[in-house]
């Protein structure tokens, strides 16, 4: 019942498939739309404004400066073992956080719906997409689908491509997490070993 509900939610965001960003982007890149949705669920819990800073790569000065900025701006955040997860209340706050992290050259942070890392900044420039642009969920999803497709072209398997999207092939439980979310969207006769990437290589 729950699985059917989520499937309907995914496929019926709009009466027309052309206005459904999951279907539109999936078809454009040859990727199962439900896989894109599952990844966004794992990455951001569908929050287009969330920004995650890699805590392990920060100096003490960077950590302190980040916390002072967040507290002074009254921006909610959570600190986990490896990341500071920032939940801006609106797009203006989120843009301010991106500006801060970029200006002070924080080494590794992820932006938006599909958590695109700032390491892609130079590639984004070639696409005429700014780091701010990644706060737009359509733009973020399209960039992420392109990255995911490149991972699949390189590795030619579901699990390796999905783990590579997360940044590590070895010792990575990311594929399992995505599969758990994907299973909630699949029909009873389907499983996550089906062709998740279907564009001709």
């Amino acid at each position: 019942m729950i699985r059917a509900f989520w499937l309907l939610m995914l496929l019926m965001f709009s009466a027309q498939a052309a206005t459904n960003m999951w279907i539109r982007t999936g078809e454009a890149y040859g990727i199962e739309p439900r896989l894109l949705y599952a990844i966004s669920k794992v990455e951001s819990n569908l929050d287009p404004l969330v920004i995650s800073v890699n805590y392990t790569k920060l100096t003490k000065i960077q950590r302190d400066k980040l916390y002072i900025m967040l507290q002074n701006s009254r921006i909610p955040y959570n600190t986990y073992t490896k990341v500071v997860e920032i939940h801006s209340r609106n797009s203006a706050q989120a843009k301010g956080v991106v500006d801060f992290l970029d200006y002070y050259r924080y080494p590794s942070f992820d932006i938006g719906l599909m958590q695109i890392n700032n390491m892609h900044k130079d590639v984004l420039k070639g696409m005429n997409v700014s780091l701010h642009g990644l706060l737009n969920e359509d733009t973020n999803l399209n960039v992420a689908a392109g990255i995911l497709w490149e991972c699949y072209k390189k590795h030619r398997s579901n699990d390796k491509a999905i783990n590579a999207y997360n940044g590590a092939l070895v010792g990575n439980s990311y594929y399992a997490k995505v599969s758990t979310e994907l299973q909630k969207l699949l029909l009873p006769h389907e499983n996550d070993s089906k062709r998740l990437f279907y564009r001709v290589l």
Side-chain angles (χ1 to χ4, degrees):
M1 187 71 176
I2 294 174
R3 184 178 291 173
F5 170 77
W6 281 111
L7 179 63
L8 285 172
M9 286 295 291
L10 174 63
L11 297 178
M12 299 181 72
F13 278 122
S14 167
Q16 297 180 356
T19 62
N20 182 310
M21 69 176 184
W22 308 101
I23 293 172
R24 183 176 65 246
T25 306
E27 289 178 349
Y29 287 91
I31 300 171
E32 166 60 56
R34 291 173 293 183
L35 172 61
L36 296 173
Y37 183 93
I39 289 174
S40 67
K41 187 76 173 150
V42 170
E43 289 288 350
S44 68
N45 199 26
L46 308 178
D47 182 353
L49 300 181
V50 70
I51 299 164
S52 302
V53 181
N54 188 325
Y55 188 86
T56 65
K57 295 187 177 182
L58 303 183
T59 65
K60 184 180 185 306
I61 292 173
Q62 287 175 321
R63 287 196 296 268
D64 291 346
K65 188 179 288 189
L66 176 61
Y67 284 134
I68 289 169
M69 183 277 290
L70 293 172
Q71 289 162 7
N72 287 345
S73 302
R74 298 184 178 180
I75 300 174
Y77 66 89
N78 296 305
T79 301
Y80 300 102
T81 305
K82 295 183 179 180
V83 299
V84 179
E85 193 175 84
I86 303 165
H87 297 275
S88 300
R89 300 180 192 279
N90 51 56
S91 59
Q93 269 192 349
K95 286 178 180 177
V97 172
V98 170
D99 282 342
F100 173 88
L101 296 172
D102 189 40
Y103 181 80
Y104 289 107
R105 298 185 179 182
Y106 277 69
S108 180
F109 56 94
D110 303 312
I111 302 170
L113 188 71
M114 302 287 278
Q115 292 290 275
I116 308 296
N117 192 271
N118 65 308
M119 69 177 282
H120 298 290
K121 185 177 179 180
D122 289 339
V123 175
L124 291 170
K125 282 182 182 177
M127 300 167 64
N128 202 27
V129 175
S130 66
L131 291 178
H132 283 163
L134 294 175
L135 294 168
N136 176 282
E137 57 187 10
D138 262 308
T139 301
N140 194 291
L141 184 60
N142 271 279
V143 170
I147 293 169
L148 184 60
W149 177 249
E150 289 300 317
C151 291
Y152 183 71
K153 282 202 304 187
K154 181 176 180 180
H155 299 289
R156 304 292 183 101
S157 74
N158 290 341
D159 57 341
K160 288 181 180 178
I162 293 167
N163 276 340
Y165 176 85
N166 183 246
L169 290 177
V170 180
N172 192 351
S173 61
Y174 185 73
Y175 176 73
K177 292 177 184 176
V178 171
S179 292
T180 297
E181 290 300 326
L182 184 58
Q183 285 294 334
K184 298 174 185 177
L185 305 173
L186 298 178
L187 297 171
H189 66 278
E190 296 178 306
N191 62 61
D192 64 3
S193 64
K194 66 192 284 285
R195 283 188 75 193
L196 299 176
F197 301 87
Y198 49 83
R199 190 200 295 181
V200 176
L201 290 170

